[in-house]
Amino acid sequence: QVQLVESGGGLVQAGGSLRLSCAASGSVFTINGMGWYRQAPGKQREFVARIPKAGTTTYADSVKDRFTISRDSAKNTVYLLMDSLKAEDTAVYYCNADSRSPLAGTIQYWGQGTQVTVSS
């Protein structure tokens, strides 16, 4: 089992910045990659960014060049630095981890979500 706890959401003006954090605990050694998704009111949850255990990070086109995902492996924590925020970035942001093990296979874990509101 992997537990994910997000923090860092809040209210910010358009053009401002926020940094989200996601701390993983439990069977962290099984985590292959971590990322962020978001869900705006009335819309489906969408991919934002992902950082694998090894390899390159990926971003949604809508956030590329504005958001930066990074990880501190020693702290089992992933960060999402969001710059030049726009009103359309308003959503609940969810941390995601994909865990892989020989016995359990691939399991997706989710955090509880943190609200980001950008005022225009």
Side-chain angles (χ1 to χ4, degrees):
Q1 291 277 345
V2 172
Q3 294 79 42
L4 303 173
V5 178
E6 301 115 331
S7 60
L11 174 64
V12 64
Q13 287 190 332
S17 300
L18 275 177
R19 191 180 78 158
L20 306 182
S21 301
C22 174
S25 61
S27 300
V28 295
F29 58 92
T30 66
I31 294 175
N32 182 59
M34 294 182 69
W36 293 92
Y37 287 71
R38 66 186 182 186
Q39 187 167 17
K43 294 188 176 181
Q44 289 189 333
R45 190 173 297 188
E46 64 175 6
F47 168 78
V48 175
R50 183 178 184 270
I51 184 165
K53 196 172 186 177
T56 57
T57 57
T58 54
Y59 297 92
D61 287 343
S62 59
V63 306
K64 204 173 292 183
D65 299 326
R66 297 189 299 122
F67 291 10
T68 304
I69 190 170
S70 61
R71 72 192 300 168
D72 184 335
S73 297
K75 296 181 179 179
N76 297 313
T77 299
V78 169
Y79 304 97
L80 184 69
L81 176 60
M82 305 182 293
D83 294 321
S84 302
L85 282 162
K86 306 174 182 180
E88 51 263 42
D89 294 318
T90 295
V92 177
Y93 283 70
Y94 295 92
C95 180
N96 167 269
D98 59 277
S99 164
R100 300 182 186 180
S101 65
L103 283 178
T106 300
I107 301 175
Q108 299 287 337
Y109 292 95
W110 297 91
Q112 80 284 359
T114 185
Q115 177 70 46
V116 171
T117 303
V118 183
S119 62
S120 56

